[in-house]
């Protein structure tokens, strides 16, 4: 197995070997040891956090139990008071009689005992008595039968229930529209036959404040099912309906607590950060340890890699040029180790080989190429001189013979043709002035006019400022030639007539039908008649 590993390592370059060494001898042991340590710390922190959340839930349960038991004790004092029970059953002759009796009742000790339940809550008594005037602490039972909390008490088998409900806009003056109440039947005295009950509304703001004052750094929810009754993280708005759990909360600890017919869920949420507090507290030392264990070996590996593999790659790339026409020396030869010696020996070999190639082959090839190029240039020079000069001499001889024979028109056409040929041959510059280009165009159009005679005429207009502007050679001539070949030659009439539309300066227009051969006469006549612009078509 060791021999097989050695064979595989022989096929790898230095860079990959160093990377494997760094991976299996540094990174893997580092991650294993640090991972085990972090796992142990993580488990310890998780267990400590779980214990802390359980203690928080127990403390919240104890505080809530104390609040509810104190409120239940206040209800029990009213429940056992016979005077108060008889007050709710007595019929009153007038509202004034009820008001005077209610003042005596409210002045009694059990309405102002000073307990936290009476201070922070509101007690309301209901009796099945139509002579009760609704207001303050006393209401007729008929007004409560359609309420949510009454239905919960009536549907329960218990004498006292804990319920929650939302009053909404029905009581806009209330400090909190969310209500958590203890409701109990007043049925202790069997000789009193009418239905009576009392409701103690716990102060919602006080409940929230008691939970917030515990100063827990984690979110704590008091829920009934999925309904959030109140919490310490902003789910306790007093003017909105009760919220529900979204299902995305990370519940770290849950404690169920059943009291007075309602099962309460005390939920403690996990902290948002997944990094244990221990890691955050000792983060500088952890980073220093990682840097010491990771960065120093990485730096040494990188330095060795640059010292070995970079120079080997340069030497390998230089040897790959063997199949090319010429070898290049390694420019940056550095180091006095074995690799540096190989690079210097390679450069000496390249210089010796270049000297041999220069002596034996390259000088001979350069001399042959220079001789062939010289011969080729001489032939091209002779060819370019003989052909144009021969053609221009012949054309000039023909023109002179035509002048001697009084054939002036033929001599002029030959002169135009010589101008065209000279323009094509003389291509020393790619750009020429507009005036020279139009002189070439004029010569071409003169030849066309010689072909078509009276059937063809033209005018060239050019602004003075455009004469010295340079344009590419044969730019305008190309358009003129295309217009003559593809447009005018097909449309000029050989026989027949031409319709001329004449517009005088006065705005009146004539239409004449004239022979094509009489166009020049008609044009001179129109000029004499002081006519305006003239347009014609065949």
């Amino acid at each position: 197995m060791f021999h097989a590993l050695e064979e595989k390592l022989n096929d790898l370059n230095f860079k990959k070997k160093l990377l494997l060494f760094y991976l299996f001898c540094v990174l893997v042991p580092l991650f294993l040891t640090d991972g085990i340590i972090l796992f142990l710390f993580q488990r310890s922190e998780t267990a400590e956090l779980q214990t802390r959340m359980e203690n928080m839930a127990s403390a919240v349960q104890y505080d809530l139990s104390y609040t509810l038991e104190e409120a239940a004790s206040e209800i029990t004092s009213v429940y056992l008071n016979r005077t108060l029970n008889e007050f709710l059953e007595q019929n009153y002759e007038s509202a004034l009689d009820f008001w005077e009796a209610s003042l005596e009742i409210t002045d009694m000790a059990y309405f102002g005992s000073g307990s936290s339940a009476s201070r922070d809550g509101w007690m309301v008594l209901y009796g099945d008595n139509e002579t009760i005037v609704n207001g303050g602490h006393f209401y007729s039972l008929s007004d409560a039968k359609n309420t949510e909390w009454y239905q919960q008490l009536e549907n329960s088998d218990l004498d006292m229930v804990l319920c929650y409900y939302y009053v909404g806009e029905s009581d806009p003056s209330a400090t909190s529209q969310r209500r958590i109440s203890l409701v109990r039947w007043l049925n202790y005295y069997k000789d009193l036959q009418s239905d009576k009950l009392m409701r103690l509304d716990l102060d919602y703001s006080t409940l929230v404040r008691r939970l917030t004052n515990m100063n827990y750094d984690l979110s704590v929810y008091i829920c009934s099912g999925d309904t959030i009754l109140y919490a310490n993280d902003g789910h306790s708005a007093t003017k909105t309906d009760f919220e529900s759990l979204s299902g995305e909360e990370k519940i770290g600890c849950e404690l169920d607590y059943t009291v007075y017919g309602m099962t309460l869920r005390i939920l403690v949420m996990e902290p948002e950060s997944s990094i244990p507090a221990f890691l955050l507290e000792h983060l500088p030392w952890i980073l220093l340890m990682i840097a010491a264990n990771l960065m120093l070996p990485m730096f040494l590996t990188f330095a060795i890699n640059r010292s070995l593999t970079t120079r080997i790659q340069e030497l390998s790339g230089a040897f790959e040029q063997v199949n090319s026409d010429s070898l290049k020396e390694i420019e940056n030869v550095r180091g006095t180790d074995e690799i540096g010696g190989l690079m210097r020996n390679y450069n000496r070999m390249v210089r010796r080989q270049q000297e041999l190639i220069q002596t034996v082959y390259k000088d001979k090839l350069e001399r042959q190429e220079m001789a062939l190029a010289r011969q080729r240039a001489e032939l091209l020079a002779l060819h370019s001189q003989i052909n144009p000069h021969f053609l221009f001499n012949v054309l000039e001889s023909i023109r002179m013979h035509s002048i001697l024979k009084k054939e002036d028109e033929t001599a002029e056409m030959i002169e135009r043709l010589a101008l065209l040929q000279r323009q094509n041959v003389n291509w020393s510059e790619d750009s020429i002035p507009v005036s020279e280009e139009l002189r070439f165009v004029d010569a071409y159009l003169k030849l066309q006019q010689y072909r078509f005679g009276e059937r063809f005429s033209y005018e060239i207009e050019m602004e003075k400022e455009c004469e010295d502007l340079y344009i590419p050679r044969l730019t305008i001539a190309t358009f003129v030639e295309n217009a003559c070949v593809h447009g005018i030659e097909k449309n000029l009439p050989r026989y027949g007539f031409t319709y001329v539309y004449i517009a005088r300066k006065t705005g009146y227009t004539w239409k004449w039908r004239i022979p094509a051969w009489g166009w020049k006469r008609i044009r001179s006549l129109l000029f004499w008649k002081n006519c305006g612009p003239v347009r014609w078509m065949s």
Side-chain angles (χ1 to χ4, degrees), residues 12 50 94 149 204 291 314 375 397 429 432 483:
L12 299 178
Q50 186 66 31
S94 64
W149 56 267
Y204 188 81
E314 292 179 2
Q375 293 175 2
S397 298
E429 296 180 356
I432 60 174

Side-chain angles (χ1 to χ4, degrees), residues 280-326:
L280 292 176
E281 182 179 356
H282 300 86
L283 185 60
W285 291 104
I286 294 174
L287 293 178
L288 182 61
M289 182 181 65
I290 293 176
N293 294 332
L294 188 65
M295 299 304 296
L296 182 59
M298 181 182 295
F299 174 76
L300 292 177
T301 304
F302 179 75
I304 295 173
N305 175 48
R306 287 189 59 85
S307 176
L308 295 177
T309 60
T310 305
R311 293 185 296 163
I312 290 176
Q313 288 176 357
E314 292 179 2
L315 188 60
S316 176
F319 277 110
E320 289 177 356
Q321 301 176 3
V322 173
N323 295 327
S324 61
D325 294 338
S326 61

Side-chain angles (χ1 to χ4, degrees), residues 56-87:
M56 290 170 58
S58 299
V60 172
Q61 178 190 2
Y62 177 80
D63 183 77
L64 182 60
S65 299
Y66 176 78
T67 302
L68 294 177
E69 291 301 326
E70 193 175 35
S73 176
E74 187 75 12
I75 292 176
T76 301
S77 64
V78 176
Y79 176 74
L80 298 176
N81 190 284
R82 184 177 182 87
T83 303
L84 188 57
N85 283 266
E86 291 176 349
F87 167 77

Side-chain angles (χ1 to χ4, degrees), residues 350-456:
V350 169
R351 287 193 294 269
R352 180 60 179 167
Q353 186 176 11
Q354 288 176 350
E355 291 175 359
L356 293 175
I357 294 174
Q358 183 73 22
T359 303
V360 178
Y361 297 105
K362 200 165 185 179
D363 291 344
K364 185 177 179 179
L365 291 175
E366 288 181 355
R367 288 194 298 270
Q368 291 177 354
E369 289 178 358
M370 291 176 63
L372 291 175
R374 190 184 306 110
Q375 293 175 2
R376 208 176 293 117
E378 290 175 356
L379 290 175
L380 291 175
L382 291 174
H383 184 269
S384 61
Q385 291 175 4
I386 293 173
N387 289 341
H389 287 297
F390 173 76
L391 179 61
F392 295 150
N393 291 335
V394 171
L395 290 176
E396 185 65 19
S397 298
I398 295 173
R399 189 177 76 86
M400 294 304 297
H401 280 84
S402 299
I403 292 174
L404 293 175
K405 293 182 179 181
K406 306 298 183 180
E407 295 177 355
D408 296 334
E409 188 175 5
T410 303
E412 183 182 358
M413 292 303 106
I414 293 173
E415 183 181 1
R416 300 294 181 183
L417 179 59
L419 177 62
L420 294 179
Q421 292 299 327
R422 188 173 289 106
Q423 183 78 356
N424 290 329
V425 172
N426 184 16
W427 203 281
S428 60
E429 296 180 356
D430 293 333
S431 298
I432 60 174
V434 176
S435 58
E436 186 176 345
E437 176 74 7
L438 291 181
R439 189 160 57 89
F440 175 76
V441 171
D442 181 66
Y444 175 78
L445 292 176
K446 287 289 186 182
L447 292 175
Q448 293 291 347
Q449 193 176 40
Y450 179 74
R451 288 178 57 197
F452 297 108
E454 296 294 335
R455 292 174 296 155
F456 178 80

Side-chain angles (χ1 to χ4, degrees), residues 7-287:
E7 291 295 329
K8 288 185 177 297
L9 290 176
N10 289 336
D11 295 333
L12 299 178
N13 54 31
F14 271 95
K15 183 177 181 180
K16 292 183 179 179
K17 291 177 183 177
L18 290 175
L19 288 177
L20 288 175
F21 176 80
Y22 179 73
L23 177 63
F24 290 102
C25 297
V26 178
L27 287 183
V28 172
L30 177 64
F31 284 136
L32 286 177
T33 55
D34 291 351
I36 292 173
I37 294 174
L38 290 177
F39 173 74
L40 295 176
F41 280 125
Q42 173 73 24
R43 190 169 68 172
S44 175
E45 287 294 315
T46 302
E48 182 180 351
L49 177 63
Q50 186 66 31
T51 302
R52 187 160 65 94
M53 289 189 295
E54 291 175 357
N55 293 336
M56 290 170 58
S58 299
V60 172
Q61 178 190 2
Y62 177 80
D63 183 77
L64 182 60
S65 299
Y66 176 78
T67 302
L68 294 177
E69 291 301 326
E70 193 175 35
S73 176
E74 187 75 12
I75 292 176
T76 301
S77 64
V78 176
Y79 176 74
L80 298 176
N81 190 284
R82 184 177 182 87
T83 303
L84 188 57
N85 283 266
E86 291 176 349
F87 167 77
L88 295 175
E89 287 201 356
Q90 184 179 353
N91 292 323
Y92 300 94
E93 295 181 358
S94 64
L96 180 61
D97 294 339
F98 174 79
W99 180 72
E100 292 176 350
S102 64
L103 290 179
E104 295 179 2
I105 292 295
T106 53
D107 289 338
M108 300 180 79
Y110 44 75
F111 268 103
S113 60
S115 66
S116 62
S118 61
R119 286 197 313 270
D120 300 329
W122 182 257
M123 182 183 297
V124 183
L125 302 176
Y126 293 87
D128 191 9
N129 187 350
E130 297 299 331
T131 62
I132 295 177
V133 179
N134 294 334
H137 295 281
F138 306 102
Y139 284 85
S140 176
L141 186 62
S142 59
D143 295 335
K145 290 184 177 181
N146 294 327
T147 60
E148 183 179 351
W149 56 267
Y150 181 84
Q151 298 298 327
Q152 294 182 30
L153 177 63
E154 192 174 41
N155 295 332
S156 175
D157 297 333
L158 302 175
D159 289 338
M160 184 165 59
V161 295
L162 178 66
C163 57
Y164 68 91
Y165 53 97
Y166 177 67
V167 297
E169 299 297 331
S170 61
D171 189 4
S173 62
T175 57
S176 174
Q177 295 177 355
R178 294 183 181 185
R179 297 284 176 83
I180 299 177
S181 304
L182 277 172
V183 184
R184 180 167 188 170
W185 292 109
L186 300 179
N187 55 2
Y188 180 74
Y189 298 100
K190 304 300 180 181
D191 57 330
L192 301 177
Q193 299 298 323
S194 64
D195 294 333
K196 300 174 292 298
L197 61 86
M198 70 170 298
R199 189 188 82 232
L200 180 60
D201 298 333
L202 302 178
D203 187 83
Y204 188 81
S205 300
T206 301
L207 294 176
V208 176
R209 185 168 57 254
R210 289 173 66 93
L211 180 60
T212 305
N213 290 339
M214 291 183 175
N215 295 324
Y216 293 136
D217 56 343
L218 302 178
S219 299
V220 180
Y221 292 1
I222 310 298
C223 302
S224 175
D226 289 336
T227 302
I228 303 174
L229 300 183
Y230 62 96
N232 62 349
D233 65 347
H235 288 79
S236 304
T238 60
K239 297 298 182 181
T240 59
D241 199 356
F242 293 97
E243 301 180 22
S244 298
L245 296 173
S246 63
E248 298 180 356
E249 293 84 2
K250 295 181 179 180
I251 301 175
C253 178
E254 178 177 353
L255 180 61
D256 294 338
Y257 168 51
T258 302
V259 56
Y260 301 119
M262 179 183 293
T263 300
L264 298 176
R265 300 172 63 196
I266 302 175
L267 306 179
V268 181
M269 303 301 170
E270 292 183 355
E272 295 182 358
S273 176
S274 60
I275 303 176
F278 177 83
L279 295 181
L280 292 176
E281 182 179 356
H282 300 86
L283 185 60
W285 291 104
I286 294 174
L287 293 178

